[in-house]
Amino acid sequence: MYVIAVYDMEAERTQKMLKLLRQYLTHVQNSVCEGKLTKGELQALKDEIEDVVKSHESVILYELRD
């Protein structure tokens, strides 16, 4: 499936999220990454995001059909 990730992090932590997302997706714009993932890759990404994000930060994953 095709995934678009949009994130809002503390300024000093944005690079941490970008580094994580670049393992799975392509960086296309400030705080936006996109790309094709399998269901397994998507679940792994969600698990890793959950470990990184603090309560006042947000990551939105838009999941689209191929």
Side-chain angles (χ1 to χ4, degrees), residues 20-58:
L20 168 62
L21 291 174
R22 279 187 169 165
Q23 294 176 30
Y24 296 89
L25 303 168
T26 302
H27 182 232
V28 293
Q29 187 177 334
N30 288 344
S31 302
V32 180
C33 295
E34 65 182 15
K36 280 186 129 184
L37 297 178
T38 65
K39 288 183 182 181
E41 290 170 332
L42 178 58
Q43 186 58 53
L45 176 58
K46 286 179 179 180
D47 293 342
E48 289 187 56
I49 288 172
E50 192 174 301
D51 293 340
V52 172
V53 174
K54 293 183 178 180
S55 61
H56 60 280
E57 299 172 333
S58 67

Side-chain angles (χ1 to χ4, degrees), residues 1-5 25-26 33-38 42 45 60-64 66:
M1 75 183 57
Y2 198 79
V3 176
I4 300 171
L25 303 168
T26 302
C33 295
E34 65 182 15
K36 280 186 129 184
L37 297 178
T38 65
L42 178 58
L45 176 58
I60 301 171
L61 297 175
Y62 297 97
E63 302 170 29
L64 302 127
D66 288 333

